[in-house]
Amino acid sequence: MPQIPDKPELQNYQHFVQQLEIERGFDHQTVLEKCLMLGEEVGELFKAIRKRENIKIDPNSKTGDVAEELADVFLFLCSIANRYDIDLASAIEEKEGKNRLRKWV
């Protein structure tokens, strides 16, 4: 099983997800499949937040906790980035460079 090193960097997580997908047989899934699954996980995250904020939800529905659902969303983001050979750390730095030039009102 793949391991996450102590004090991991974002690239370590992307590599971890890549290895997990190979090990679990998910490496053949397309970007479209991953995007649809990400959408489902975002919905589960929102439901967990509703539960935590005491907003009514169906009491019979299964609801995870916010931390677990955030982790699921992050794993799918890494998976999609991997499919496109995107280094998320570099992408974040580049995007934030653009954001610094914007005026925030």
Side-chain angles (χ1 to χ4, degrees), residues 29 38 48 54 68 81 90 95:
Q29 293 175 323
L38 171 61
N54 296 313
E68 288 178 0
S90 295
K95 177 62 179 172

Side-chain angles (χ1 to χ4, degrees), residues 37-52 62-77:
M37 293 163 76
L38 171 61
E40 291 174 17
E41 293 299 338
V42 169
E44 291 175 15
L45 170 61
F46 291 165
K47 190 178 212 181
I49 290 171
R50 284 176 54 198
K51 179 180 176 182
R52 188 160 175 179
K62 183 181 172 224
T63 308
D65 69 22
V66 174
E68 288 178 0
E69 300 307 338
L70 282 169
D72 286 340
V73 167
F74 178 72
L75 293 171
F76 277 102
L77 286 174

Side-chain angles (χ1 to χ4, degrees), residues 26 34 36-37 39 50 53 55 57 74 83 94 97:
F26 298 135
K34 291 296 182 182
L36 293 171
M37 293 163 76
R50 284 176 54 198
E53 294 294 322
I55 298 170
I57 60 170
F74 178 72
R83 296 278 187 298
E94 184 178 322

